[in-house]
Amino acid sequence: MPPSLPTLKAQGHALASPERQLERLDAVELPREFADACEAAGLWPLDAHALDVLQINVGRLCNQTCRHCHVDAGPDRDEVMSRETLEACLSFLDRSEVRTVDLTGGAPELNPHFRWFVEEVRARGRHVIDRCNLTILETGAGRDLPEFFARNRVEVVCSLPHYRELSTDRQRGRGVYERSIAALRALNAVGYGDGESGLKLRIVTNPVGAFLPPSQGSLEAEWKRELERLHGIVFDSLFTITNMPIARYLEWLELSENLDDYLQRLVEAFNPVAAAGVMCRSMISVAHDGTLHDCDFNQMLELGLAPGAPATIFDAEPARLIGRAIVAHRHCFGCTAGGGSSCGGQLD
Ligand code: SF4
Ligand code: SF4
């Protein structure tokens, strides 16, 4: 495996700071703000109307350092959720009617309490989603994860930039494509994606450049055809997501001199239907230190919840999270452009 690049944090890069990221976004000249666009669509203030999903970022440690990572995750990150904080998440679940626990990272499987936690959530009858980077399944400690996932009926949502090697390795690093394909085969071998076992395998793809993703429906047919033709791989569905202009993707936009144009493109493509369905309206996001945020992107920008809402999972009463105002900023245009974008793919 080739050596990974240092994260922004390890480089001491200015964009490792959430304040600097927000300043850079604010410095771009835009025709309107996110609040104005929502207001014109009759959606302001944007609020949370439900609490269906508890998304937990169990740590920023990752075995990769992908070019577009909005977490600035990598092997040099040491933020990992403790057992005590995971226990607070379980206690929250016991008090709530949340149906789905969505585990993300970094590579969530690198949290030392990962398997214990998945089993605890399943014992409570809740659905578990694991956001998997695939290559983690090809590491020593991860090779039996497909069987573990199948045993616990975990929905696996895995990221793969492209079904071709060049585009994937350009964004994720040399050799990532080959190991990702091997991991998909291992998931297929235990029944994932076969359409009969009920073991759901989704693939998430994001554009490799400064453009919006094409329509999810047309891309899914192409991906299914090509992955089966090239490698005999099957999967249930494809999610297309828009790259969020924060962290390492923001750095890439600046380096490639695409930041202004990309933000303009997001603003121009504002879609009120997508805005009405943004994922923060029905979920809550927990950071490795237990702080609460409207979504994983807001978490990376350390925005927290609106005043009056609980600040951490330790003191959160589920009912107080419904009806809260969403803390929105310019990056939110990334969720509402074109067909819209969320952890579950296109919105419109
Ligand atoms: S995009 Fe995913 S796999 Fe890549 S560095 Fe970030 S968390 Fe890790
Ligand atoms: S970035 Fe987060 S807070 Fe903003 S619209 Fe998207 S999901 Fe909601």
Side-chain angles (χ1 to χ4, degrees), residues 197-273:
S197 62
L199 298 171
K200 296 294 182 196
L201 177 60
R202 327 265 187 206
I203 296 181
V204 177
T205 179
N206 56 308
V208 291
F211 48 86
L212 296 179
S215 143
Q216 189 165 284
S218 60
L219 218 55
E220 180 178 283
E222 179 184 329
W223 274 66
K224 283 193 166 175
R225 186 186 65 237
E226 290 302 299
L227 276 178
E228 183 148 29
R229 184 181 69 81
L230 294 167
H231 304 291
I233 286 168
V234 292
F235 64 99
D236 290 288
S237 47
L238 183 79
F239 295 158
T240 55
I241 58 166
T242 303
N243 285 310
M244 193 55 75
I246 63 173
R248 290 211 288 268
Y249 188 63
L250 176 58
E251 183 214 15
W252 180 84
L253 286 171
E254 285 206 322
L255 284 172
S256 59
E257 299 183 355
N258 274 304
L259 178 57
D260 290 34
D261 286 351
Y262 186 69
L263 278 190
Q264 293 281 355
R265 200 165 295 149
L266 295 182
V267 175
E268 281 162 17
F270 180 82
N271 174 354
V273 176

Side-chain angles (χ1 to χ4, degrees), residues 34 46 244 278-280 294-295 297-298 326-328 331-332 335:
F34 187 73
L46 198 62
M244 193 55 75
V278 282
M279 60 186 174
C280 50
D294 290 311
C295 70
F297 306 121
N298 281 18
I326 301 297
V327 179
H331 65 287
C332 295
C335 290

